[in-house]
Amino acid sequence: MCAADPRVSGGQLRRALRGLVVAVVAPVLVLCACTPPHDPRPAPSPLTSYAEPWRPQFHYTPPDGRLADPNGLVFDAGEWHLFHQQGGTWAHAVSPDAVHWTTLPNALQHDDLGQALSGSAVVDGANTSGLFDGPDGGLVAIYTSTTGGEAQSLAYSSDAGRTWDRYGGNPVIPNDGRKDFRDPKVFWHEPTRRWVMAVSLGDEIGLFSSTDLLDWEELSRFGAGHGLHSAVWECPDLFPLRVDGDPDQVRWVLTVSVGASDATDGSTAQYFVGDFDGTTFVRDPAVPPETVQETDVGQDFYAAQSYEQAPDGRRVWIGWMGNWRYPYSAPTRPWTNAMSVPRDLGLRTVDGQVRLVQAPVPELGSLRGEPTRIGPRAIGPDTVLPFTGSTFELETEIETRGARRVSVRLLESRDAAERLVEAVEVGYDDGQLVMDRTRGGTTGFSVRRSVPYHPRGGVIRLHVLVDESSVEVFVDDGALTGTMVVFPKRDGRGMSLTAEGGDPRVRELTYWPLRSIWR
């Protein structure tokens, strides 16, 4: 990144050096830390064990409280910052590797302008905003305030996001009578030398620009006639990616989450691939406007946001594993909801169409225990696998060989007669990719999701991450991704394969237990 980039300054080097001393401390130290009496922000609960029923062991959860949308995702000075919605405030955690997290006190509380709803953060390293005392700049958070209608406001931090000041001229984009006007995602657009904001406007996305993060002008809008419009559009993101890794083939991706509706049995998310010239986003004209490209084909991946300035030119994002059909109904205490694992993003040409592809970040490999591998074997109606666990990673290739249905059953439990009682099922069913938790446990979460899927060369390739209360599936190297939360009533730790018809076989299967990030 060139020195002329306004996000970068010599001060970042000094912050990076300070960042080298930031380490993940043992949870007991974090949870017992006390907030000074004059600081009104709550400290993490000292009562959390991170061992409660259904508590994820390698996904981020807050010590307590209700987690929702990821906010302000930015990499700075060696730290991955994860802010997230929690009761209309910005809760905060940091990580050196996007895997092991330290929870910090809340960053943004309510103020005279109401709640601090979803938004983004940038490194204003050249102090384009003039909000910082010196030339080194700092972090700027752009979020939605609520008093007088949804509007866009700023806060800024000179100490690596540990403390924040509100901008005295908030809101920087007032509400002009709009009902839905929220979730600003801001990034620096180098060709036009200005900041760009994508923000939700009902069921469209508005694009705004600014040279200083304070004064904004509207550029254009996108959405009318494109994709799914069954509910409000929320939490937009806009970023460039190489197609098939080719640096000469760069396209822009606009992602939006779509609120709960009967049409999608809750909330969902979609993306558009096209071009952005600094003013207007134009979808690929080869894709019919009504085409809906889902970000995730499961039930529980919402409000995903990507990291600004992720290292090595990567585009990494995280989503809220939840759904507005049941946003805070999980039977968990003292926390509710979790984030997905961080995922690397790319664009790949699949069957002549450019698709968004996702993969778990390689840093998760640090959690792997010793692998166990099994070789070729036939799959019958109930083929029990020699693994048990509720926090693990699995990769497998399965040859369908004429089978009508073949799938993996996870987090399963059986009765005394070894009959299946509970399980989450992932696999192929007569031309469909299926994620089924109708026998997954807790009532109120029964759902079966399916999308068209034809295994390439008759081989199903699955990469699966299972935690205490979630299943994330990456199919054919991330060409399809599915996310489900699940709350087994019993001690579901078994695994099996099942099939109907044909002569399906496991080509290979590898299983890794995954260590907890909390202990």
Side-chain angles (χ1 to χ4, degrees), residues 351-381:
D351 297 329
Q353 186 181 79
V354 176
R355 290 189 188 176
L356 182 69
V357 295
Q358 307 176 55
V361 294
E363 289 87 344
L364 287 163
S366 67
L367 304 179
R368 285 177 172 177
E370 289 298 318
T372 303
R373 295 180 173 89
I374 62 175
R377 66 176 57 189
I379 303 174

mmCIF file of all heavy atoms in Angstrom, residues 351-381:
data_model
loop_
_atom_site.group_PDB
_atom_site.id
_atom_site.type_symbol
_atom_site.label_atom_id
_atom_site.label_comp_id
_atom_site.label_asym_id
_atom_site.label_seq_id
_atom_site.Cartn_x
_atom_site.Cartn_y
_atom_site.Cartn_z
ATOM 1 N N ASP A 351 -19.595 -23.195 -13.969
ATOM 2 C CA ASP A 351 -20.612 -23.413 -15.015
ATOM 3 C C ASP A 351 -20.879 -22.132 -15.801
ATOM 4 O O ASP A 351 -22.029 -21.794 -16.114
ATOM 5 C CB ASP A 351 -21.901 -23.934 -14.389
ATOM 6 C CG ASP A 351 -21.722 -25.278 -13.713
ATOM 7 O OD1 ASP A 351 -20.867 -26.052 -14.177
ATOM 8 O OD2 ASP A 351 -22.425 -25.538 -12.712
ATOM 9 N N GLY A 352 -19.801 -21.388 -16.098
ATOM 10 C CA GLY A 352 -19.912 -20.201 -16.918
ATOM 11 C C GLY A 352 -20.376 -18.952 -16.182
ATOM 12 O O GLY A 352 -20.476 -17.887 -16.805
ATOM 13 N N GLN A 353 -20.644 -19.056 -14.888
ATOM 14 C CA GLN A 353 -21.121 -17.915 -14.110
ATOM 15 C C GLN A 353 -20.126 -17.600 -13.002
ATOM 16 O O GLN A 353 -19.601 -18.503 -12.353
ATOM 17 C CB GLN A 353 -22.495 -18.216 -13.509
ATOM 18 C CG GLN A 353 -23.139 -17.054 -12.794
ATOM 19 C CD GLN A 353 -24.491 -17.424 -12.207
ATOM 20 O OE1 GLN A 353 -24.574 -18.043 -11.151
ATOM 21 N NE2 GLN A 353 -25.559 -17.038 -12.914
ATOM 22 N N VAL A 354 -19.876 -16.306 -12.785
ATOM 23 C CA VAL A 354 -18.959 -15.894 -11.734
ATOM 24 C C VAL A 354 -19.697 -15.933 -10.399
ATOM 25 O O VAL A 354 -20.721 -15.275 -10.232
ATOM 26 C CB VAL A 354 -18.410 -14.477 -12.000
ATOM 27 C CG1 VAL A 354 -17.526 -14.020 -10.835
ATOM 28 C CG2 VAL A 354 -17.613 -14.459 -13.294
ATOM 29 N N ARG A 355 -19.163 -16.714 -9.463
ATOM 30 C CA ARG A 355 -19.815 -16.897 -8.165
ATOM 31 C C ARG A 355 -18.907 -16.457 -7.024
ATOM 32 O O ARG A 355 -17.676 -16.572 -7.101
ATOM 33 C CB ARG A 355 -20.168 -18.370 -7.942
ATOM 34 C CG ARG A 355 -21.277 -18.913 -8.818
ATOM 35 C CD ARG A 355 -21.675 -20.298 -8.335
ATOM 36 N NE ARG A 355 -22.595 -20.973 -9.225
ATOM 37 C CZ ARG A 355 -23.016 -22.220 -9.055
ATOM 38 N NH1 ARG A 355 -22.571 -22.924 -8.013
ATOM 39 N NH2 ARG A 355 -23.856 -22.777 -9.899
ATOM 40 N N LEU A 356 -19.538 -16.009 -5.968
ATOM 41 C CA LEU A 356 -18.839 -15.749 -4.726
ATOM 42 C C LEU A 356 -18.549 -17.082 -4.046
ATOM 43 O O LEU A 356 -19.442 -17.909 -3.874
ATOM 44 C CB LEU A 356 -19.704 -14.881 -3.811
ATOM 45 C CG LEU A 356 -19.078 -14.472 -2.470
ATOM 46 C CD1 LEU A 356 -17.928 -13.499 -2.683
ATOM 47 C CD2 LEU A 356 -20.143 -13.848 -1.568
ATOM 48 N N VAL A 357 -17.293 -17.305 -3.671
ATOM 49 C CA VAL A 357 -16.909 -18.544 -2.986
ATOM 50 C C VAL A 357 -16.307 -18.191 -1.632
ATOM 51 O O VAL A 357 -15.737 -17.109 -1.442
ATOM 52 C CB VAL A 357 -15.919 -19.387 -3.821
ATOM 53 C CG1 VAL A 357 -16.591 -19.873 -5.090
ATOM 54 C CG2 VAL A 357 -14.660 -18.601 -4.134
ATOM 55 N N GLN A 358 -16.468 -19.105 -0.676
ATOM 56 C CA GLN A 358 -16.039 -18.867 0.701
ATOM 57 C C GLN A 358 -15.268 -20.077 1.218
ATOM 58 O O GLN A 358 -15.574 -21.215 0.849
ATOM 59 C CB GLN A 358 -17.246 -18.618 1.597
ATOM 60 C CG GLN A 358 -18.176 -17.516 1.107
ATOM 61 C CD GLN A 358 -19.411 -17.376 1.978
ATOM 62 O OE1 GLN A 358 -19.318 -17.190 3.180
ATOM 63 N NE2 GLN A 358 -20.583 -17.474 1.359
ATOM 64 N N ALA A 359 -14.311 -19.815 2.107
ATOM 65 C CA ALA A 359 -13.546 -20.891 2.733
ATOM 66 C C ALA A 359 -13.178 -20.459 4.148
ATOM 67 O O ALA A 359 -12.856 -19.285 4.371
ATOM 68 C CB ALA A 359 -12.284 -21.201 1.937
ATOM 69 N N PRO A 360 -13.215 -21.367 5.115
ATOM 70 C CA PRO A 360 -12.758 -21.016 6.459
ATOM 71 C C PRO A 360 -11.323 -20.507 6.399
ATOM 72 O O PRO A 360 -10.497 -21.041 5.651
ATOM 73 C CB PRO A 360 -12.841 -22.341 7.220
ATOM 74 C CG PRO A 360 -13.747 -23.211 6.422
ATOM 75 C CD PRO A 360 -13.593 -22.790 4.999
ATOM 76 N N VAL A 361 -10.999 -19.472 7.170
ATOM 77 C CA VAL A 361 -9.644 -18.931 7.126
ATOM 78 C C VAL A 361 -8.645 -20.005 7.566
ATOM 79 O O VAL A 361 -8.927 -20.813 8.467
ATOM 80 C CB VAL A 361 -9.511 -17.679 8.016
ATOM 81 C CG1 VAL A 361 -10.361 -16.542 7.469
ATOM 82 C CG2 VAL A 361 -9.841 -17.974 9.472
ATOM 83 N N PRO A 362 -7.475 -20.032 6.959
ATOM 84 C CA PRO A 362 -6.496 -21.077 7.297
ATOM 85 C C PRO A 362 -6.015 -21.002 8.735
ATOM 86 O O PRO A 362 -5.515 -22.002 9.267
ATOM 87 C CB PRO A 362 -5.359 -20.836 6.302
ATOM 88 C CG PRO A 362 -5.526 -19.430 5.826
ATOM 89 C CD PRO A 362 -6.997 -19.171 5.873
ATOM 90 N N GLU A 363 -6.151 -19.836 9.373
ATOM 91 C CA GLU A 363 -5.728 -19.710 10.766
ATOM 92 C C GLU A 363 -6.455 -20.684 11.690
ATOM 93 O O GLU A 363 -5.952 -21.028 12.761
ATOM 94 C CB GLU A 363 -5.944 -18.279 11.254
ATOM 95 C CG GLU A 363 -4.993 -17.248 10.670
ATOM 96 C CD GLU A 363 -5.456 -16.649 9.355
ATOM 97 O OE1 GLU A 363 -6.368 -17.228 8.711
ATOM 98 O OE2 GLU A 363 -4.909 -15.603 8.942
ATOM 99 N N LEU A 364 -7.652 -21.137 11.288
ATOM 100 C CA LEU A 364 -8.368 -22.111 12.106
ATOM 101 C C LEU A 364 -7.619 -23.431 12.217
ATOM 102 O O LEU A 364 -7.863 -24.226 13.126
ATOM 103 C CB LEU A 364 -9.761 -22.363 11.527
ATOM 104 C CG LEU A 364 -10.783 -21.236 11.717
ATOM 105 C CD1 LEU A 364 -11.956 -21.423 10.772
ATOM 106 C CD2 LEU A 364 -11.257 -21.175 13.158
ATOM 107 N N GLY A 365 -6.694 -23.676 11.307
ATOM 108 C CA GLY A 365 -5.902 -24.890 11.370
ATOM 109 C C GLY A 365 -5.085 -25.022 12.641
ATOM 110 O O GLY A 365 -4.684 -26.130 13.018
ATOM 111 N N SER A 366 -4.848 -23.886 13.325
ATOM 112 C CA SER A 366 -4.100 -23.932 14.585
ATOM 113 C C SER A 366 -4.860 -24.674 15.675
ATOM 114 O O SER A 366 -4.269 -25.046 16.702
ATOM 115 C CB SER A 366 -3.774 -22.516 15.058
ATOM 116 O OG SER A 366 -4.965 -21.811 15.418
ATOM 117 N N LEU A 367 -6.157 -24.896 15.484
ATOM 118 C CA LEU A 367 -6.974 -25.579 16.495
ATOM 119 C C LEU A 367 -7.037 -27.084 16.269
ATOM 120 O O LEU A 367 -7.559 -27.812 17.115
ATOM 121 C CB LEU A 367 -8.401 -25.017 16.475
ATOM 122 C CG LEU A 367 -8.554 -23.508 16.679
ATOM 123 C CD1 LEU A 367 -10.029 -23.128 16.610
ATOM 124 C CD2 LEU A 367 -7.948 -23.067 18.002
ATOM 125 N N ARG A 368 -6.521 -27.566 15.169
ATOM 126 C CA ARG A 368 -6.677 -28.978 14.823
ATOM 127 C C ARG A 368 -5.866 -29.888 15.748
ATOM 128 O O ARG A 368 -4.702 -29.629 16.054
ATOM 129 C CB ARG A 368 -6.222 -29.232 13.394
ATOM 130 C CG ARG A 368 -7.181 -28.741 12.332
ATOM 131 C CD ARG A 368 -6.581 -28.983 10.952
ATOM 132 N NE ARG A 368 -7.539 -28.701 9.879
ATOM 133 C CZ ARG A 368 -7.252 -28.784 8.581
ATOM 134 N NH1 ARG A 368 -6.029 -29.143 8.208
ATOM 135 N NH2 ARG A 368 -8.171 -28.516 7.667
ATOM 136 N N GLY A 369 -6.506 -30.971 16.161
ATOM 137 C CA GLY A 369 -5.787 -32.054 16.795
ATOM 138 C C GLY A 369 -5.290 -33.022 15.743
ATOM 139 O O GLY A 369 -5.276 -32.727 14.541
ATOM 140 N N GLU A 370 -4.902 -34.214 16.167
ATOM 141 C CA GLU A 370 -4.394 -35.204 15.231
ATOM 142 C C GLU A 370 -5.506 -35.691 14.301
ATOM 143 O O GLU A 370 -6.610 -36.011 14.759
ATOM 144 C CB GLU A 370 -3.802 -36.388 15.982
ATOM 145 C CG GLU A 370 -2.494 -36.076 16.678
ATOM 146 C CD GLU A 370 -1.403 -35.685 15.691
ATOM 147 O OE1 GLU A 370 -1.297 -36.342 14.628
ATOM 148 O OE2 GLU A 370 -0.691 -34.696 15.961
ATOM 149 N N PRO A 371 -5.226 -35.759 13.003
ATOM 150 C CA PRO A 371 -6.273 -36.213 12.069
ATOM 151 C C PRO A 371 -6.463 -37.728 12.108
ATOM 152 O O PRO A 371 -5.543 -38.492 12.419
ATOM 153 C CB PRO A 371 -5.727 -35.776 10.712
ATOM 154 C CG PRO A 371 -4.246 -35.809 10.879
ATOM 155 C CD PRO A 371 -3.985 -35.391 12.314
ATOM 156 N N THR A 372 -7.672 -38.138 11.777
ATOM 157 C CA THR A 372 -7.983 -39.551 11.556
ATOM 158 C C THR A 372 -8.551 -39.672 10.154
ATOM 159 O O THR A 372 -9.457 -38.920 9.782
ATOM 160 C CB THR A 372 -9.006 -40.068 12.571
ATOM 161 O OG1 THR A 372 -8.501 -39.865 13.895
ATOM 162 C CG2 THR A 372 -9.279 -41.540 12.358
ATOM 163 N N ARG A 373 -8.034 -40.597 9.386
ATOM 164 C CA ARG A 373 -8.463 -40.741 7.995
ATOM 165 C C ARG A 373 -9.014 -42.138 7.762
ATOM 166 O O ARG A 373 -8.482 -43.118 8.293
ATOM 167 C CB ARG A 373 -7.303 -40.473 7.038
ATOM 168 C CG ARG A 373 -6.790 -39.039 7.094
ATOM 169 C CD ARG A 373 -5.631 -38.801 6.121
ATOM 170 N NE ARG A 373 -5.277 -37.390 6.070
ATOM 171 C CZ ARG A 373 -4.393 -36.813 6.877
ATOM 172 N NH1 ARG A 373 -3.801 -37.531 7.820
ATOM 173 N NH2 ARG A 373 -4.129 -35.525 6.758
ATOM 174 N N ILE A 374 -10.070 -42.199 6.967
ATOM 175 C CA ILE A 374 -10.579 -43.491 6.527
ATOM 176 C C ILE A 374 -10.616 -43.497 5.007
ATOM 177 O O ILE A 374 -10.839 -42.463 4.372
ATOM 178 C CB ILE A 374 -11.963 -43.809 7.114
ATOM 179 C CG1 ILE A 374 -13.006 -42.775 6.656
ATOM 180 C CG2 ILE A 374 -11.910 -43.863 8.637
ATOM 181 C CD1 ILE A 374 -14.413 -43.127 7.108
ATOM 182 N N GLY A 375 -10.367 -44.650 4.441
ATOM 183 C CA GLY A 375 -10.292 -44.776 3.003
ATOM 184 C C GLY A 375 -11.598 -45.249 2.394
ATOM 185 O O GLY A 375 -12.665 -45.152 3.014
ATOM 186 N N PRO A 376 -11.543 -45.744 1.189
ATOM 187 C CA PRO A 376 -12.769 -46.112 0.476
ATOM 188 C C PRO A 376 -13.612 -47.119 1.251
ATOM 189 O O PRO A 376 -13.092 -48.078 1.826
ATOM 190 C CB PRO A 376 -12.229 -46.724 -0.823
ATOM 191 C CG PRO A 376 -10.882 -46.099 -1.002
ATOM 192 C CD PRO A 376 -10.339 -45.934 0.372
ATOM 193 N N ARG A 377 -14.921 -46.854 1.246
ATOM 194 C CA ARG A 377 -15.861 -47.803 1.849
ATOM 195 C C ARG A 377 -17.262 -47.542 1.308
ATOM 196 O O ARG A 377 -17.595 -46.422 0.917
ATOM 197 C CB ARG A 377 -15.858 -47.704 3.368
ATOM 198 C CG ARG A 377 -16.378 -46.395 3.937
ATOM 199 C CD ARG A 377 -16.418 -46.448 5.470
ATOM 200 N NE ARG A 377 -15.109 -46.741 6.036
ATOM 201 C CZ ARG A 377 -14.908 -47.012 7.315
ATOM 202 N NH1 ARG A 377 -15.925 -47.060 8.161
ATOM 203 N NH2 ARG A 377 -13.692 -47.242 7.769
ATOM 204 N N ALA A 378 -18.062 -48.585 1.293
ATOM 205 C CA ALA A 378 -19.440 -48.469 0.815
ATOM 206 C C ALA A 378 -20.290 -47.746 1.846
ATOM 207 O O ALA A 378 -20.000 -47.744 3.043
ATOM 208 C CB ALA A 378 -20.007 -49.852 0.537
ATOM 209 N N ILE A 379 -21.368 -47.117 1.347
ATOM 210 C CA ILE A 379 -22.306 -46.404 2.228
ATOM 211 C C ILE A 379 -23.654 -47.102 2.132
ATOM 212 O O ILE A 379 -24.242 -47.223 1.041
ATOM 213 C CB ILE A 379 -22.455 -44.925 1.826
ATOM 214 C CG1 ILE A 379 -21.100 -44.228 1.838
ATOM 215 C CG2 ILE A 379 -23.441 -44.220 2.756
ATOM 216 C CD1 ILE A 379 -21.139 -42.808 1.308
ATOM 217 N N GLY A 380 -24.159 -47.555 3.271
ATOM 218 C CA GLY A 380 -25.469 -48.177 3.321
ATOM 219 C C GLY A 380 -26.503 -47.254 3.933
ATOM 220 O O GLY A 380 -26.256 -46.062 4.128
ATOM 221 N N PRO A 381 -27.671 -47.779 4.261
ATOM 222 C CA PRO A 381 -28.719 -46.947 4.859
ATOM 223 C C PRO A 381 -28.328 -46.360 6.213
ATOM 224 O O PRO A 381 -28.838 -45.311 6.612
ATOM 225 C CB PRO A 381 -29.901 -47.914 4.994
ATOM 226 C CG PRO A 381 -29.624 -48.995 4.004
ATOM 227 C CD PRO A 381 -28.148 -49.144 3.966
#
